[in-house]
Amino acid sequence: MLKKLISTIVLGALLTTGTQPIAAATIKEKKAENAAEQRKLEKEIKKQEAKISKEQRQINRIDAAINEKIFQVSEKINKLNS
């Protein structure tokens, strides 16, 4: 019981004296690191979105070309069947 009381008092003294500025600085550093990491990830997401958008435009062009060919073939089939 006495041991627990002493450890509680020592812990309380440490928390109220020297560790708060260190903890605050550590928290600020961690927030800065997190913010930098978030910016990095957001930048990477934008790059990936741009890449996907470019690939989607290419797919759309290919799809349009395929549709045009299908239309041409169906027109030729219709002419042959007429």
Side-chain angles (χ1 to χ4, degrees):
M1 180 74 174
L2 182 60
K3 200 174 197 181
K4 187 174 181 181
L5 178 63
I6 291 173
S7 65
T8 303
I9 293 170
V10 170
L11 180 61
L14 287 173
L15 289 175
T16 57
T17 58
T19 59
Q20 284 182 345
I22 294 170
T26 303
I27 291 170
K28 285 182 181 179
E29 290 169 358
K30 192 63 176 171
K31 283 183 178 180
E33 289 173 8
N34 288 344
E37 182 67 19
Q38 183 176 354
R39 285 190 300 275
K40 180 181 171 186
L41 291 172
E42 287 172 350
K43 187 176 181 181
E44 189 61 34
I45 288 169
K46 285 182 181 182
K47 283 182 184 179
Q48 290 298 322
E49 287 174 343
K51 182 179 176 183
I52 290 169
S53 179
K54 181 180 177 184
E55 290 172 353
Q56 186 62 49
R57 286 191 301 273
Q58 290 173 338
I59 289 168
N60 290 345
R61 283 193 295 271
I62 292 167
D63 188 47
I66 290 170
N67 287 337
E68 179 62 29
K69 289 292 182 186
I70 291 170
F71 178 75
Q72 290 172 2
V73 168
S74 68
E75 286 292 313
K76 286 182 182 180
I77 291 172
N78 287 338
K79 284 183 182 179
L80 291 174
N81 289 333
S82 299

